[in-house]
Amino acid sequence: MCATASLHSHEDSVILPPIPSNDDIGADPEVWDVIIVGGGVAGSALAYAQAKDGRRVLLLERDLSQPDRIVGELLQPGGYLQLKKLGLEGCVEGIDAIKVHGYALFMGGQKAVVGYPMEGYSADVAGRSFHHGRFIQKLRGAAASCPSVTVRQALVKKLVNDKGGEWQEGEVVTGVVYRHLPGGTGPASAPVERSARAHLTLVCDGMYSNLRKHLSTPKIAHPSFFVGLRLTGCTLPVPNHGHVVLARPSPILFYPISSTEVRCLVDVPGERLPGDLPAYLRATVAPQLPDILRPAFLAALERPEAIRSMQNKLMPAKPLHQPGALLLGDAFNMRHPLTGGGMTVALSDCSLLVDMLRPLPSLADAFGTAQKTADFYTRRKPLSATINTLANALYQVFCYTGDAAQEEMRQACFDYLAQGGICAAGPISLLSGLNPRPSVLVQHFFRVALFGVGRLLLPRPSLRGLFMALALLAVACRIIFPIIWAEGVRAVFLPALAPKPVVSVAANGGVKRSTSMGVLASS
């Protein structure tokens, strides 16, 4: 469980104390079992779990003070279950987190409420929304409370090979070089470049990772920005629910982040923000909000310095499985944050990797560890592909483009969910991470499309209705198929038949080049 931390009031937020950096270099082992780069959701959870499995862990994080972000504030029920499996469910306690039981959708004066299908789960299982930084500090505190974890404030510069030089493709990763950023003042606290060796290096350094290019072939898209506002004195129409306003040109989100605060995230499509952002929010966004939310939104705009933004990123997982290292979290895979699925994917990946590493008595054999973890990239696919595909597809469906067929699809999606029953329970079970089945996702996606087609053709088909029906089906195909292709068709639907990531190890290292860890062999 998480170490407790006292809460200190700071302006209108709650700041947990920084995690102390362990700067006792003399106590470091010659070789760590695991080095983890990044102390975010994935890195901190992995450090805790590996310590509980008896391994010595060095967790390197560039800034151990509480982070301040406008995303990573909603944990889906499936993510909570993974947190609980890792023994970290206490990390959502003591941070004024709010239980979330579903979503309220708004479109053109209509409202639909969709609840999570929680039958068969214990009472504590629900979504959680909170200040991201508070949750991260609790996770870091849990990791730091483990005697075999050393948490150190440091900026990792590069990976190293078995000779201590900078790692190159085809070599075994044996550790990192980092810029040590000790606390305190005076000459002894000046940054120092150091190296550390480990049997396994786990890279979890977030969306701005400078190491991902060594362990994957990233292709990053930037579809939009999130503009964030923190609302006070705001009453949500449906308590304990996330709220989605299907506005033009793109969705607007509202959800509680504490018992007194609500986060608003306005999606702004494109690669640039409007020049006068407050004016855009007043003129374009405010008129489309439900009446109950508009006053608090406009009040927040009176503090322009409090308007924050973040560019959204999409990045399918394209790993290069190098012996001695693995890539996780946002450094590895990103989807549109509309559905709040990022932390669920990260915690699921952590839980899966921990289960795969647990039977290994030692991680000293880099090639043996690589063989045992080669299936990680396909075994993660059912959940990650479901959440990634749903997030990216829903974002495209919910955006207004001016195209009549696209608008029919958007309205059909809202009306389909508003019907309730299986029409709501099926999609929301996918979004929540409780039912990670890509086939069910595709089934419901095309049921929405056919629902829209039926409305166009009934009660009496017309030439225009037939044309629009075909156009709607074309829109549906144009949205879903490229997303599935990017995730990998075989990896999503037939993971047992999916190719393993490419592995390249230099011949002078005594290992042959191979595309499958299953046939990696000594020369």
Side-chain angles (χ1 to χ4, degrees):
M1 303 296 288
C2 292
T4 59
S6 60
L7 304 184
H8 301 288
S9 178
H10 179 70
E11 296 180 341
D12 54 3
S13 187
V14 175
I15 307 299
L16 298 178
I19 304 301
S21 176
N22 185 334
D23 300 325
D24 185 7
I25 306 299
D28 289 1
E30 183 177 348
V31 181
W32 299 87
D33 291 316
V34 181
I35 290 175
I36 298 175
V37 182
V41 173
S44 300
L46 280 169
Y48 178 87
Q50 287 301 291
K52 291 301 179 183
D53 283 346
R55 298 194 168 103
R56 292 205 65 179
V57 180
L58 175 62
L59 176 61
L60 300 173
E61 165 57 41
R62 67 179 180 83
D63 186 357
L64 289 170
S65 62
Q66 180 168 311
D68 187 15
R69 296 179 60 191
I70 61 171
V71 292
E73 297 175 320
L74 177 62
L75 181 67
Q76 296 289 356
Y80 176 79
L81 286 175
Q82 298 297 334
L83 195 71
K84 195 172 181 180
K85 182 179 177 183
L86 291 165
L88 290 165
E89 67 272 24
C91 292
V92 296
E93 302 298 330
I95 58 173
D96 200 12
I98 304 297
K99 280 189 176 183
V100 177
H101 301 301
Y103 285 88
L105 308 176
F106 298 83
M107 184 178 182
Q110 300 173 287
K111 181 177 82 171
V113 178
V114 182
Y116 293 132
M118 302 310 304
E119 296 80 5
Y121 293 98
S122 56
D124 64 311
V125 180
R128 296 293 195 285
S129 55
F130 38 66
H131 280 270
H132 174 81
R134 302 179 195 177
F135 179 54
I136 293 299
Q137 291 304 89
K138 294 283 280 195
L139 288 171
R140 290 173 178 173
S145 71
C146 300
S148 61
V149 174
T150 294
V151 180
R152 184 165 296 158
Q153 188 159 281
L155 176 63
V156 175
K157 307 293 286 185
K158 56 189 176 183
L159 304 173
V160 298
N161 59 25
D162 57 353
K163 297 180 178 60
E166 183 171 359
W167 176 86
Q168 302 291 329
E169 184 178 358
E171 298 176 330
V172 178
V173 178
T174 62
V176 300
V177 170
Y178 64 93
R179 190 182 184 206
H180 186 198
L181 307 170
T185 59
S189 64
V192 180
E193 191 166 281
R194 304 184 186 278
S195 62
R197 296 179 61 202
H199 299 314
L200 180 62
T201 300
L202 301 175
V203 177
C204 317
D205 55 344
M207 67 166 62
Y208 302 109
S209 171
N210 65 338
L211 299 178
R212 68 158 64 97
K213 60 182 180 292
H214 302 303
L215 302 173
S216 67
T217 53
K219 184 179 179 182
I220 303 176
H222 305 94
S224 65
F225 286 83
F226 262 163
V227 176
L229 298 169
R230 183 174 56 84
L231 312 184
T232 56
C234 177
T235 301
L236 290 171
V238 186
N240 297 95
H241 282 64
H243 292 60
V244 184
V245 180
L246 301 188
R248 298 184 181 185
S250 53
I252 305 161
L253 307 180
F254 292 85
Y255 51 88
I257 53 175
S258 75
S259 56
T260 60
E261 300 161 296
V262 169
R263 173 71 73 201
C264 171
L265 292 176
V266 178
D267 185 84
V268 181
E271 296 195 0
R272 289 186 180 180
L273 287 169
D276 189 342
L277 191 53
Y280 171 85
L281 296 174
R282 282 191 185 91
T284 303
V285 176
Q288 301 186 71
L289 299 180
D291 292 342
I292 193 173
L293 297 173
R294 192 177 301 116
F297 180 84
L298 291 172
L301 292 181
E302 295 303 315
R303 297 178 289 111
E305 71 282 357
I307 301 174
R308 304 172 58 194
S309 64
M310 185 203 77
Q311 192 170 36
N312 295 323
K313 299 173 184 287
L314 311 184
M315 187 182 72
K318 301 292 183 185
L320 297 172
H321 191 37
Q322 306 290 358
L326 284 163
L327 189 64
L328 287 98
D330 281 352
F332 175 43
N333 181 207
M334 292 180 282
R335 77 291 308 148
H336 197 283
L338 172 69
T339 59
M343 291 190 293
T344 298
V345 172
L347 291 168
S348 174
D349 283 353
C350 291
S351 182
L352 172 61
L353 182 60
V354 167
D355 287 345
M356 296 179 79
L357 293 175
R358 184 172 290 127
L360 303 181
S362 169
L363 305 178
D365 179 1
F367 304 118
T369 302
Q371 285 180 312
K372 295 295 184 182
T373 57
D375 287 338
F376 167 76
Y377 299 105
T378 49
R379 287 178 59 184
R380 70 181 291 274
K381 274 295 182 181
L383 185 137
S384 67
T386 297
I387 290 178
N388 294 347
T389 303
L390 183 63
N392 296 337
L394 268 185
Y395 176 69
Q396 292 190 49
V397 170
F398 284 172
C399 282
Y400 176 78
T401 64
D403 179 78
Q406 170 85 15
E407 184 61 12
E408 287 286 350
M409 183 72 177
R410 192 164 80 122
Q411 187 66 55
C413 187
F414 178 88
D415 292 342
Y416 182 84
L417 293 170
Q419 290 187 115
I422 188 62
C423 296
I428 202 71
S429 71
L430 298 165
L431 183 148
S432 65
L434 296 172
N435 183 25
R437 295 169 60 190
S439 59
V440 175
L441 167 59
V442 174
Q443 172 192 335
H444 278 283
F445 188 84
F446 280 103
R447 284 182 66 174
V448 169
L450 293 174
F451 175 74
V453 167
R455 298 196 313 176
L456 290 166
L457 298 181
L458 297 174
R460 183 180 299 123
S462 66
L463 190 59
R464 181 187 178 279
L466 180 60
F467 173 80
M468 287 297 298
L470 292 174
L472 189 154
L473 288 173
V475 165
C477 294
R478 193 165 63 242
I479 289 174
I480 195 72
F481 289 143
I483 297 172
I484 293 175
W485 183 264
E487 288 289 327
V489 176
R490 280 186 292 176
V492 170
F493 296 108
L494 299 167
L497 302 180
K500 302 296 186 293
V502 173
V503 177
S504 177
V505 184
N508 59 11
V511 180
K512 297 177 181 177
R513 181 179 176 90
S514 172
T515 58
S516 171
M517 288 304 307
V519 296
L520 193 65
S522 299
S523 296

